[in-house]
Amino acid sequence: MAVTISSFGKFPDGREVSLYTMENGNGMRVSVANIGAALVRVEVPDREGRLADVVLGFDRAEDYLANGCFFGVVIGPSANRIGNASFTLDGATYSLAANDGANNLHSHREHGWHKCFWEATVGEDSVTFRLEDKTDNMGFPGAKRAEVTYTLSEDNELRLHYHAVSDRRTILNLTNHSYFNLEGHGSGHIEGHTLWLGASRYTPADAGSIPTGEIAPVEGTPMDFTAPKRVGERIDTDFQQLQYAGGYDHNWVIDGWDGTLRHFATLKAPGSGRIMEAYTTLPGVQFYTGNFIEEESGKEGQIYRRRGGLCLETQYFPDSIHKPSFPSCVFGQDREYDSVTVYRFGLS
């Protein structure tokens, strides 16, 4: 195993941003960067042995400072949506940026952790990024410290280990916002991919993508991926949840969640034969089909378009701060945030 370091551009304050590339004995390569602790490249072979990069992103750090689609970055301190851009905790009310209609999305579009510079430490087969966030930044109580470790194994597993602490009770809900296309990052839409989800329930949402509080069965609806099916098979069905979001952009409830690492998804690309199995210790996953990607200039001169990649964002449920029946995303001195998500690549 080797980790090489190359220049990736500059942060606005002049700091050098580096690209850290891990390569295993199978030729699989994973590149990550200081900007947003971003997952920049994941290069895996197809059934003919040809390598392709299967995540959407950019060739320069500077482009990650725009990145309206959040390609590849770590979201924090709070991923996904919080209704009415405010919450009450321990008797105090906190106001957040209303950056998604009346709601808060991904903490803050400009000051969220996805646009911060993360300090890096290189291990033998891993890269760890660390971030310190000042007290009450973006409206979230407490001073916070976070770290994310990317580890590449000889079994073609990419492991993401998150840890965060706060000196006051606050919301901590981290995720990685990578868009996957197992045919290659510039190969067009992902509707032909086949997906299995180990989730027999999901959290229906309103027109603003805020969960209603219901946990509903997927059976008999287009939300049912408990048997593998093509992503595009029912994506444009006249089903209110899909109409609201322009496709899939919902939280699924992972079956049997108990805080241990569970297999929750298998994604297959028919053309390349690539497979990605996904595992997490978290209770939910936001399956998002890139419905809001507009024409975007990506890596290697490729143009990304609507549904050009899909996300499997492991998480606590959206708006759980307002839903006492959902697993709690409140952490502080008495409860540290810790989670693991694994993406394992193979061939059919």
Side-chain angles (χ1 to χ4, degrees), residues 54-97:
V54 298
V55 294
L56 279 59
F58 304 106
D59 289 322
R60 307 180 316 139
E62 291 80 357
D63 294 324
Y64 282 91
L65 293 168
N67 195 12
C69 291
F70 303 92
F71 293 136
V73 286
V74 169
I75 307 293
S78 178
N80 216 308
R81 292 172 174 85
I82 296 173
N84 295 316
S86 67
F87 64 96
T88 299
L89 183 60
D90 299 333
T93 298
Y94 300 92
S95 295
L96 310 173

Side-chain angles (χ1 to χ4, degrees), residues 117-130:
F117 186 97
W118 295 61
E119 299 289 347
T121 303
V122 176
E124 183 177 334
D125 58 356
S126 66
V127 181
T128 298
F129 294 105
R130 293 182 175 87

Side-chain angles (χ1 to χ4, degrees), residues 32-311:
V32 292
N34 306 93
I35 177 74
L39 180 57
V40 176
R41 298 178 192 145
V42 176
E43 298 170 89
V44 290
D46 66 6
R47 61 167 67 94
E48 306 299 329
R50 296 172 297 210
L51 280 181
D53 183 357
V54 298
V55 294
L56 279 59
F58 304 106
D59 289 322
R60 307 180 316 139
E62 291 80 357
D63 294 324
Y64 282 91
L65 293 168
N67 195 12
C69 291
F70 303 92
F71 293 136
V73 286
V74 169
I75 307 293
S78 178
N80 216 308
R81 292 172 174 85
I82 296 173
N84 295 316
S86 67
F87 64 96
T88 299
L89 183 60
D90 299 333
T93 298
Y94 300 92
S95 295
L96 310 173
N99 59 4
D100 188 57
N103 306 314
N104 177 262
L105 174 65
H106 297 330
S107 303
H108 198 288
R109 289 191 184 273
E110 296 305 319
H111 305 306
W113 292 358
H114 66 287
K115 289 191 178 178
C116 291
F117 186 97
W118 295 61
E119 299 289 347
T121 303
V122 176
E124 183 177 334
D125 58 356
S126 66
V127 181
T128 298
F129 294 105
R130 293 182 175 87
L131 177 73
E132 294 198 7
D133 197 14
K134 63 187 179 183
T135 300
D136 301 344
N137 193 24
M138 297 174 279
F140 295 92
K144 294 162 281 290
R145 288 180 288 117
E147 66 179 44
V148 182
T149 299
Y150 292 92
T151 304
L152 178 63
S153 78
E154 292 297 339
D155 296 326
N156 287 2
E157 286 187 355
L158 176 61
R159 180 183 180 93
L160 285 66
H161 180 198
Y162 304 82
H163 189 80
V165 297
S166 173
D167 63 358
R168 289 168 59 197
R169 276 165 43 92
T170 193
I171 294 175
L172 288 171
N173 189 11
L174 283 67
T175 197
N176 179 280
H177 208 297
S178 285
Y179 291 71
F180 295 96
N181 187 324
L182 298 186
E183 304 289 12
H185 70 96
S187 63
H189 65 75
I190 43 70
E191 293 175 18
H193 283 53
T194 299
L195 178 67
W196 167 84
L197 287 176
S200 55
R201 299 173 298 160
Y202 77 111
T203 54
D206 64 19
S209 294
I210 299 297
T212 63
E214 180 188 6
I215 295 179
V218 299
E219 187 177 4
T221 78
M223 316 303 278
D224 190 352
F225 287 88
T226 56
K229 73 178 183 189
R230 270 194 324 109
V231 169
E233 185 174 321
R234 302 185 69 186
I235 196 170
D236 293 317
T237 301
D238 185 14
F239 180 70
Q240 187 179 61
Q241 288 294 306
L242 297 179
Q243 297 297 309
Y244 279 160
Y248 296 108
D249 188 11
H250 298 78
N251 172 71
W252 271 255
V253 177
I254 294 170
D255 288 341
W257 174 67
D258 59 2
T260 62
L261 193 67
R262 302 189 72 85
H263 179 203
F264 71 89
T266 298
L267 183 67
K268 297 182 179 181
S272 66
R274 295 186 184 93
I275 297 175
M276 184 180 79
E277 295 176 340
Y279 303 78
T280 193
T281 60
L282 290 167
V285 57
Q286 189 84 6
F287 167 42
Y288 170 51
T289 46
N291 312 315
F292 302 110
I293 301 174
E294 297 180 358
E295 285 203 2
E296 184 95 47
S297 296
K299 290 177 285 190
E300 302 171 328
Q302 296 291 337
I303 303 297
Y304 303 144
R305 295 181 172 86
R306 183 172 187 251
R307 297 181 181 164
L310 64 81
C311 303

